[in-house]
Amino acid sequence: RREAAAALAAAGAPAVAPVVSALDDPDGDVRKRAADVLACIGDARAIAPLLRAANDEDWYVRKAAEDALQRIRGRIEGNR
């Protein structure tokens, strides 16, 4: 799973849609890793799905989503 996550992160923007869909996976670890990958990609299209994930039942998913949002927003602010 780590290798797959790294490959998706390296793919960048084209991987956003499939990784966002993983935020709905029944496995909390998959959802957490998806949030981590979205943080690495840093694409603003992930903000709305990550906001939903920030309300996940799994604490680790919520934390990963919050961290991802912070990183993405930081990149957006840094580009202004």
Side-chain angles (χ1 to χ4, degrees):
R1 285 187 182 175
R2 286 187 182 125
E3 293 83 12
L8 287 167
V16 171
V19 177
V20 163
S21 70
L23 290 172
D24 293 323
D25 194 274
D27 185 331
D29 188 51
V30 171
R31 296 192 308 275
K32 182 211 174 290
R33 289 181 190 269
D36 292 341
V37 169
L38 291 168
C40 290
I41 294 172
D43 193 298
R45 293 176 293 164
I47 291 175
L50 285 166
L51 285 169
R52 288 189 298 276
N55 293 312
D56 196 276
E57 63 189 30
D58 185 310
W59 182 88
Y60 293 101
V61 175
R62 290 194 307 269
K63 179 69 172 136
E66 291 166 4
D67 291 346
L69 286 163
Q70 186 174 27
R71 286 179 62 182
I72 292 169
R73 288 176 175 150
R75 285 185 185 158
I76 291 169
E77 290 297 318
N79 288 333
R80 287 188 180 175

